[in-house]
Amino acid sequence: MASVPSLASSVNQRVADALASALPEAGGADPLLRRSDRADFQANGILALAKKAKANPRELAATVVGGIPTGDLIQEIEVSGPGFLNITITDRAIIETLAARAGDDRLGVPFAANPGTTVIDYAQPNVAKEMHVGHLRSAVIGAAMVEILEFTGEKVVRRHHIGDWGTQFGMLIQYLLEHPHELDHKSDVEVSGEEAMSNLNRLYKASRGLFDSDEEFKTRARARVVDLQAGEPQTLELWQRFVDESKIYFYSVFNKLDMDIQDPDVVGESGYNDMLVETCELLEESGVAVRSNGALCVFFDDVKGPDGNPTPLIVRKSDGGFGYAATDLSAIRDRVGKLGATELIYVVDARQSLHFKMVFETARRAGWLNDGVKAVQLAFGTVLGKDGKPFKTREGETVRLVDLLDEAVERATAVVREKAEKVGLAEAEIVENGQYVGIGAVKYADLSTSASRDYKFDLDQMVSLNGDTSVYLQYAYARIKSILRRAGDRKPVAHPELELAPAERALGLHLDHFGELIAEAAADHAPHKVAAYLYQLSSLFTTFYDQCPVVKPEPELVVGENRLFLCELTARTLTKGMSLLGIRTPEKL
């Protein structure tokens, strides 16, 4: 398993070496290489360096060109405009580099130079509550970031910070105590997520109704909260039943999303209870938090309310109860101290940005975050309906996540069925592919938008075969697999001696960029960059296939073998990239 230096990095090195010898004081300067319409690459760094050295940029550029060998890697290099370098790569270098990538099971993608430990907090549903469309983005974006970071060699610890604590449990537990059979299952057979959720819904509505109408029940429910917080055994046992019932439901939804959520990774708010008092003591003793009107608060110069007065982060309320801040700060202590995190990523709705800004700053002041540990909120925007307003049902209710996923699969199955006869799919395959296409469509629509932006949830568009959709990418992959099957005896073989057509060059250069793209997506926490790369790869493949015959009309043997080689490497890159986004690529569609 050897990482393969990209063509861009090899060219960059050649230009940097020539720059250093032409202008020794610029040693180590960045040539600012980028892809270009005029040639394969353009280096733009000479202008700024010439200005600094008070030299003529065109003359400096000419001297640099004179010091760059051509023939093996670089075919042609010319000075353009005020001192840009236009660089064209040899066809041989393109195919040889791609052959090296094809020979490696990681496609030549290097591991990160200094991998650390990232704890990523995502997929955070609430116990005893239905998951709705708002829970989708955290789960999908978080799962993609886990895959991307792990692929770069990072150690990733998943954390699902479920809402499993708080005053509402007093009401639920008290009701269950008085109606002990409300969460019983109909049979000993495995319980479906739907049954678990309908049990919880029914109990929640009944207990809420009683809480609002019966003062005596309300008093008992409030006393029950105190028992829960004190860890009274019977109360804790009943609380655990709510958590277990909710997990049956959560896991059924994550299963639909084709997402692997493991029990040890689910550490809810309750997981940090034992640390809350100590967290508060540490903050107060160090002077990071101060008492204000009986509450323990942290103040910030730049956070003020509408009235102009400072808005604090309340760590402990005046009645002694703990807020979210105490739990979040305890979680940071745990993740840094016990799990050895060098980075914390929180995939949380953008509306909570101020809360996290204050929590991170508090943790920095307390010394729990430092130069060796950074914390970031991967903030995401809202899911909107076709009308551009927050996504709701006709009745104005929040949309159930399960209904949304079922409808996506139903639509996708219809799309798959239309073409099934042509490619010879059996009924079982139609059903399976319908799931892959439907769930892939939902994930891709989310991941192809920058996380911080809102996006419109439009199922018609998502399962469309045209445009920037996962179905378009899945079809590109299935089409390549079909080409490779139709090629019969002819095998994919790289032929560096051949001259390449423009569409072959464009596809080849894009395939070579995969490793750099992964590094960028990991560093920027930007799965949408992977989606954009894959869409462009599929588009370049479509152009290549239209312009360069692969099977029919049958090209000359070596040309055909080289084109099959490009097909195969495209398929491998597509399926790897899609798997990083959590999307499956069926072999036949």
Side-chain angles (χ1 to χ4, degrees):
M1 296 220 319
S3 69
V4 178
S6 70
L7 292 162
S9 64
S10 304
V11 171
N12 205 50
Q13 192 58 56
R14 292 259 175 117
V15 179
D17 292 347
L19 240 176
S21 67
L23 194 67
E25 63 267 37
D30 184 355
L32 299 179
L33 193 76
R34 60 178 183 78
R35 288 298 302 277
S36 164
D37 298 337
R38 299 207 169 80
D40 293 333
F41 297 101
Q42 190 174 63
N44 299 340
I46 289 173
L47 289 174
L49 290 170
K51 200 172 174 186
K52 225 174 174 180
K54 298 190 171 48
N56 177 315
R58 270 193 79 92
E59 283 172 17
L60 177 58
T63 313
V64 170
V65 170
I68 296 176
T70 55
D72 57 340
L73 169 67
I74 295 171
Q75 184 175 324
E76 192 184 354
I77 181 164
E78 56 168 27
V79 180
S80 114
F84 300 128
L85 299 185
N86 284 343
I87 301 163
T88 305
I89 308 284
T90 63
D91 290 348
R92 173 175 286 279
I94 293 175
I95 296 298
E96 281 177 348
T97 301
L98 294 183
R101 292 199 178 287
D104 175 50
D105 59 0
R106 284 177 56 83
L107 299 169
V109 176
F111 285 107
N114 301 301
T117 298
T118 295
V119 176
I120 181 159
D121 185 326
Y122 69 107
Q124 310 110 340
N126 292 313
V127 164
K129 285 196 181 155
E130 190 124 35
M131 287 174 74
H132 55 78
V133 69
H135 291 112
L136 179 68
R137 299 208 72 185
S138 171
V140 169
I141 295 166
M145 272 322 303
V146 167
E147 295 297 329
I148 292 166
L149 288 169
E150 282 189 334
F151 188 53
T152 67
E154 185 79 0
K155 180 186 174 193
V156 180
V157 182
R158 301 156 170 82
R159 275 291 172 269
H160 308 296
H161 191 86
I162 61 171
D164 65 355
W165 204 248
T167 50
Q168 76 276 19
F169 284 100
M171 169 184 95
L172 294 168
I173 292 166
Q174 188 59 37
Y175 188 86
L176 186 58
L177 191 71
E178 295 172 15
H179 305 80
H181 298 295
E182 281 297 300
L183 283 184
D184 291 357
H185 297 141
K186 290 179 192 137
S187 67
D188 297 338
V189 195
E190 199 178 332
V191 187
S192 71
E194 279 290 323
E195 187 191 327
M197 195 62 239
S198 82
N199 275 347
L200 291 163
N201 267 341
R202 191 181 62 247
L203 198 147
Y204 188 87
K205 281 182 185 145
S207 63
R208 181 88 244 178
L210 206 52
F211 187 84
D212 291 342
S213 63
D214 181 335
E215 279 304 317
E216 286 177 2
F217 177 77
K218 188 182 269 190
T219 307
R220 293 198 297 278
R222 286 192 169 143
R224 188 60 58 188
V225 177
V226 179
D227 292 339
L228 177 65
Q229 286 170 341
E232 193 274 316
Q234 186 191 21
T235 305
L236 273 183
E237 194 183 314
L238 292 171
W239 167 79
Q240 189 63 50
R241 284 192 65 188
F242 282 100
V243 175
D244 292 344
E245 193 78 5
S246 298
K247 279 183 177 177
I248 295 172
Y249 163 69
F250 296 157
Y251 294 160
S252 76
V253 179
F254 289 127
N255 210 21
K256 258 186 213 286
L257 265 170
D258 197 10
M259 211 171 268
D260 184 28
I261 304 267
Q262 297 290 337
D263 217 46
D265 303 331
V266 179
V267 182
E269 293 167 4
S270 64
Y272 306 100
N273 282 347
D274 297 348
M275 300 173 72
L276 300 178
V277 171
E278 190 185 25
T279 295
C280 292
E281 285 169 356
L282 291 168
L283 290 171
E284 193 167 12
E285 283 161 15
S286 62
V288 172
V290 293
R291 296 268 169 188
S292 173
N293 297 331
L296 187 62
C297 302
V298 183
F299 288 92
F300 308 86
D301 294 338
D302 58 345
V303 183
K304 294 187 167 61
D307 55 3
N309 291 327
T311 302
L313 181 71
I314 299 172
V315 186
R316 193 166 196 174
K317 300 173 206 162
S318 52
D319 66 2
F322 299 100
Y324 287 128
T327 308
D328 287 333
L329 288 161
S330 300
I332 289 176
R333 286 177 55 212
D334 180 70
R335 290 164 186 186
V336 175
K338 286 198 187 130
L339 301 175
T342 49
E343 179 169 49
L344 304 173
I345 300 176
Y346 291 79
V347 189
V348 182
D349 191 315
R351 285 171 292 196
Q352 294 187 43
S353 294
L354 180 60
H355 169 77
F356 278 101
K357 181 185 162 188
M358 293 159 87
V359 165
F360 296 160
E361 176 55 30
T362 302
R364 253 182 235 110
R365 291 180 190 175
W368 303 327
L369 291 176
N370 51 43
D371 293 344
V373 189
K374 62 176 178 179
V376 287
Q377 181 193 358
L378 206 178
F380 55 81
T382 309
V383 181
L384 307 173
K386 282 187 199 180
D387 57 2
K389 297 188 176 122
F391 201 22
K392 296 269 198 277
T393 63
R394 286 205 182 92
E395 297 73 42
E397 301 280 313
T398 316
V399 180
R400 293 173 65 208
L401 187 50
V402 177
D403 295 342
L404 208 67
L405 300 178
D406 287 345
E407 193 183 343
V409 169
E410 202 177 301
R411 297 274 189 98
T413 307
V415 171
V416 172
R417 197 177 292 284
E418 271 173 43
K419 294 192 176 255
E421 209 172 313
K422 200 169 152 193
V423 289
L425 287 182
E427 182 60 26
E429 289 174 304
I430 294 172
V431 170
E432 187 178 79
N433 287 357
Q435 295 224 291
Y436 295 160
V437 172
I439 297 302
V442 170
K443 288 182 178 179
Y444 187 84
D446 194 317
L447 294 169
S448 57
T449 311
S450 163
S452 58
R453 289 172 51 196
D454 300 343
Y455 82 97
K456 283 187 185 170
F457 197 96
D458 180 350
L459 271 179
D460 294 327
Q461 173 52 32
M462 286 179 192
V463 297
S464 163
L465 303 178
N466 305 313
D468 188 3
T469 64
S470 66
V471 195
Y472 176 69
L473 308 189
Q474 286 168 321
Y475 265 104
Y477 175 78
R479 184 188 207 177
I480 299 172
K481 297 307 269 186
S482 157
I483 292 164
L484 293 168
R485 285 193 296 272
R486 290 206 318 269
D489 301 341
R490 281 172 299 151
K491 294 284 170 268
V493 182
H495 287 284
E497 73 280 5
L498 289 175
E499 197 176 312
L500 297 176
E504 292 174 308
R505 290 182 61 90
L507 179 61
L509 286 165
H510 193 65
L511 283 167
D512 184 55
H513 181 56
F514 186 57
E516 288 163 329
L517 172 276
I518 295 296
E520 201 182 309
D524 298 347
H525 307 131
H528 71 277
K529 291 188 173 179
V530 178
Y533 171 88
L534 296 171
Y535 175 59
Q536 203 184 343
L537 179 61
S538 302
S539 305
L540 288 166
F541 177 79
T542 303
T543 307
F544 154 79
Y545 188 64
D546 288 346
Q547 294 178 6
C548 305
V550 180
V551 180
K552 281 179 182 167
E554 193 175 315
E556 191 191 326
L557 180 64
V558 289
V559 174
E561 286 181 338
N562 198 58
R563 286 176 182 170
L564 284 169
F565 162 74
L566 286 171
C567 286
E568 188 177 63
L569 189 58
T570 301
R572 282 180 60 194
T573 307
L574 262 178
T575 198
K576 181 71 225 173
M578 294 286 267
S579 77
L580 295 178
L581 300 180
I583 299 172
R584 307 237 183 194
T585 38
E587 302 280 308
K588 283 180 182 177
L589 259 187

